[in-house]
């Protein structure tokens, strides 16, 4: 990466790229080059600071965005040695395949997609004799999608199936609590996780195994997060834990 490459950036972007140590928050409107700054920042770390690619972690929200970031960085530094760039979920899959056994997760766990999850909720509702249709006054029926969405919200807030009943208010949430417990029991029996589990269970892993957390903290000297404003509590907690050793976080 030549010094002239920084000329592609405006003065504010250059500051964000070159301020490598400590926490950095980049605020700018859509289309103003935030992702561009992240890719140049990684190129700068690799070419100018000579940071090991394995010590840099880039997290984003779509596989497409991750692919574009890797492609851009490869062109900037003319190398195939690119740091990990991927979604929160793909990163968590990588961790849980390797270290999930610490909290009882099989390395060969299945991942339930949206349809798998919905089918499971419908099956549980049928077993529990909970209607999935609108019913006359005095009787209750619930949309399986609404049930699943509520379970997802709970997981994003790091609320487990065991903990959820204490937060449940009203008949709908009380019904969700019952289904949530059965839902998690079924996932466990099938050695499966859903998308939200990938995040929540990784946070649980780090909470329960300080040795495992310490290994990842030591590895990732620099962490960069694209579209940080879209993070939920589980993602925020994951980032907070990972950056706890070096505190070099750019979002």
């Amino acid at each position: 990466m030549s010094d002239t490459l920084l000329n592609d950036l405006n003065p504010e972007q250059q500051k964000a790229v070159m301020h490598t140590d400590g926490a950095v928050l980049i605020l700018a409107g859509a289309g103003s080059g935030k992702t561009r700054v992240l890719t140049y920042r990684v190129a700068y770390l690799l070419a100018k600071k000579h940071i090991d690619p394995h010590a840099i972690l880039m997290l984003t929200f779509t596989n497409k965005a991750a692919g574009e970031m890797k492609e851009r960085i490869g062109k900037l530094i003319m190398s195939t040695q690119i740091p990990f760039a991927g979604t929160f979920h793909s990163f968590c899959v990588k961790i849980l395949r390797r270290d999930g056994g610490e909290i009882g997760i099989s390395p060969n766990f299945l991942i339930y997609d949206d349809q798998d999850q919905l089918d499971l909720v419908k099956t549980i509702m049928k077993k529990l004799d909970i209607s999935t249709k609108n019913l006359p006054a005095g009787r209750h029926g619930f949309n399986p999608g609404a049930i699943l969405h509520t379970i997802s919200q709970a997981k994003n807030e790091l609320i487990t199936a065991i903990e959820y009943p204490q937060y449940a208010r009203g008949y709908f949430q009380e019904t969700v609590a019952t289904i949530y417990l059965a839902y998690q029991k079924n996932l466990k029996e099938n050695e499966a996780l859903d998308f939200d589990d990938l995040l929540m269970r990784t946070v649980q892993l780090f909470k329960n195994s300080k040795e495992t957390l310490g290994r990842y903290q030591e590895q990732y000297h620099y962490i960069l997060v694209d579209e940080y404003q879209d993070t939920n509590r589980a993602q925020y907690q994951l980032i907070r834990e990972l950056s706890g050793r070096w505190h070099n976080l750019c979002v």
Side-chain angles (χ1 to χ4, degrees):
M1 179 180 183
S2 65
D3 293 330
T4 58
L5 197 55
L6 288 176
N7 293 336
D8 294 340
L9 308 174
N10 65 40
E12 292 302 314
Q13 291 173 331
Q14 290 178 12
K15 286 181 185 178
V17 166
M18 299 175 71
H19 185 86
T20 55
D21 296 325
V24 176
L25 172 63
I26 300 170
L27 293 172
S32 58
K34 296 188 296 297
T35 303
R36 177 185 177 87
V37 168
L38 289 186
T39 55
Y40 273 71
R41 183 180 173 86
V42 172
Y44 185 83
L45 288 170
L46 294 169
K48 286 296 181 181
K49 303 280 285 189
H50 305 293
I51 303 300
D52 186 331
H54 294 101
I56 301 172
L57 174 65
M58 294 180 286
L59 295 172
T60 187
F61 283 85
T62 67
N63 290 320
K64 181 181 178 182
E68 289 175 352
M69 290 175 72
K70 287 189 283 189
E71 183 179 355
R72 287 192 201 181
I73 294 166
K75 289 179 179 178
L76 287 173
I77 64 173
M78 302 299 289
S79 172
T80 58
Q81 294 295 310
I82 306 298
F84 178 90
T87 64
F88 282 89
H89 293 91
S90 65
F91 178 66
C92 289
V93 168
K94 179 182 176 183
I95 292 174
L96 293 175
R97 295 279 188 215
R98 177 180 175 183
D99 298 298
E102 295 282 347
I103 54 173
I105 297 174
S106 166
N108 300 313
F109 63 83
L110 302 173
I111 301 175
Y112 277 22
D113 63 19
D114 293 341
Q115 190 59 53
D116 294 328
Q117 295 170 49
L118 189 60
D119 289 343
L120 178 55
V121 168
K122 289 178 179 178
T123 298
I124 291 169
M125 291 177 72
K126 185 175 181 180
K127 286 183 178 179
L128 296 175
D129 196 26
I130 300 171
S131 177
T132 60
K133 299 177 182 178
N134 292 325
L135 298 175
R139 298 181 63 195
H140 295 281
F142 299 107
N143 184 314
I147 298 281
L148 185 59
H149 178 71
T150 306
I151 292 173
S152 176
Q153 286 182 317
K155 290 185 178 185
N156 287 335
E157 289 296 320
L158 300 176
I159 300 172
T160 67
I162 299 297
E163 296 166 335
Y164 188 79
Q166 66 183 296
Y167 297 100
R169 299 292 182 271
Y171 190 70
F172 173 74
Q173 290 187 353
E174 290 169 358
T175 302
V176 170
T178 300
I179 295 172
Y180 189 2
L181 281 166
Y183 178 84
Q184 288 305 113
K185 181 175 182 289
N186 191 286
L187 287 176
K188 185 175 182 179
E189 289 172 351
N190 288 288
E191 295 190 342
L193 302 177
D194 65 18
F195 289 134
D196 298 310
D197 281 328
L198 298 173
L199 299 171
M200 185 169 73
R201 297 289 274 160
T202 302
V203 172
Q204 289 174 347
L205 169 64
F206 287 161
K207 181 179 179 180
N208 284 277
S209 176
K210 295 304 178 185
E211 181 181 348
T212 302
L213 171 60
R215 191 168 68 249
Y216 287 102
Q217 285 179 331
E218 186 65 29
Q219 176 180 348
Y220 294 114
H221 290 222
Y222 294 91
I223 299 173
L224 303 92
V225 183
D226 197 21
E227 304 293 351
Y228 177 74
Q229 73 278 0
D230 292 334
T231 53
N232 56 37
R233 185 184 176 192
Q235 290 159 334
Y236 164 78
Q237 192 63 37
L238 183 70
I239 297 165
R240 181 174 180 174
E241 296 287 359
L242 286 169
S243 60
R245 170 68 174 86
W246 300 102
H247 307 290
N248 296 323
L249 175 64
C250 177
V251 303

